[in-house]
Amino acid sequence: AQSVAQPEDQVNVAEGNPLTVKCTYSVSGNPYLFWYVQYPNRGLQFLLKYITGDNLVKGSYGFEAEFNKSQTSFHLKKPSALVSDSALYFCAVRDRVNTGTASKLTFGTGTRLQVTL
Amino acid sequence: NAGVTQTPKFQVLKTGQSMTLQCAQDMNHNSMYWYRQDPGMGLRLIYYSASEGTTDKGEVPNGYNVSRLNKREFSLRLESAAPSQTSVYFCASSEGTGGATNSPLHFGNGTRLTVT
């Protein structure tokens, strides 16, 4: 069974500082990996995804994520945080192999990012 | 471009009542999904439809039924609501036709349901 772990319920960072939101995953095969962001009273919005190739993936709003196969991690990063980045962030994984329970995307429990002045 | 539209935004039900959550997408996507979001549990898949005319169970299908009315619309029905179904429900769609697609999901803004 596939799973995603986001070990931090909340990450606090000062505006202008770099931020990292951690994610580790477990799948039987090779993964597709995703990051989504959720603002209050809104649905999730897609930020970026890893399919194959370059381990550093760039996405929306200046976010990037680094795929590390040996550590089974896909941490979200941003060089300089903004107060407007404060939101709930979800990591998600899907196994590339069609296991019959097709299209199953497994989400982590979410990490709340709080950026302060 | 509206994307994924869910109705209603809020609903309060008494135990045993029924209701249908509506979802429509205007992106010509093949796949549609219903998730529930509960504190500390992330999102859990209730049902999905990989293409028009097909539906399949997700992780937590008990107590729910779905209908893929056409390519645009995917409804979720609670036949006899229970307090355990108090949650925020999200509909989503994606271009993929199921399988190990890497297409991202596009979400609606959710329906906040309380069952008393």
Side-chain angles (χ1 to χ4, degrees), chain B residues 35-71:
Chain B
Y35 285 89
R36 60 178 288 173
Q37 182 178 24
D38 301 290
M41 302 191 74
L43 275 77
R44 293 181 291 170
L45 182 64
I46 305 171
Y47 271 93
Y48 68 95
S49 170
S51 61
E52 186 178 353
T54 68
T55 61
D56 284 287
K57 295 178 181 178
E59 298 174 71
V60 289
N62 291 344
Y64 305 96
N65 285 299
V66 290
S67 296
R68 184 75 183 266
L69 303 169
N70 47 56
K71 192 170 186 179

Side-chain angles (χ1 to χ4, degrees), chain A residues 24-103:
Chain A
T24 58
Y25 67 90
S26 174
V27 295
S28 57
N30 291 314
Y32 293 132
L33 292 156
F34 304 81
W35 276 103
Y36 289 83
V37 59
Q38 185 180 32
Y39 297 101
N41 300 314
R42 302 297 297 273
L44 279 68
Q45 296 176 32
F46 168 71
L47 272 181
L48 51 80
K49 66 180 177 182
Y50 171 80
I51 304 172
T52 188
D54 195 346
N55 289 342
L56 186 63
V57 179
K58 294 189 184 297
S60 306
Y61 312 121
F63 283 93
E64 57 191 27
E66 187 167 12
F67 172 65
N68 187 317
K69 187 172 183 177
S70 62
Q71 297 186 4
T72 61
S73 67
F74 189 55
H75 301 331
L76 182 70
K77 301 181 180 185
K78 188 174 183 182
S80 179
L82 298 171
V83 172
S84 58
D85 292 330
S86 299
L88 191 56
Y89 290 81
F90 289 94
C91 182
V93 67
R94 174 183 284 140
D95 198 320
R96 289 171 188 260
V97 176
N98 184 342
T99 63
T101 52
S103 301

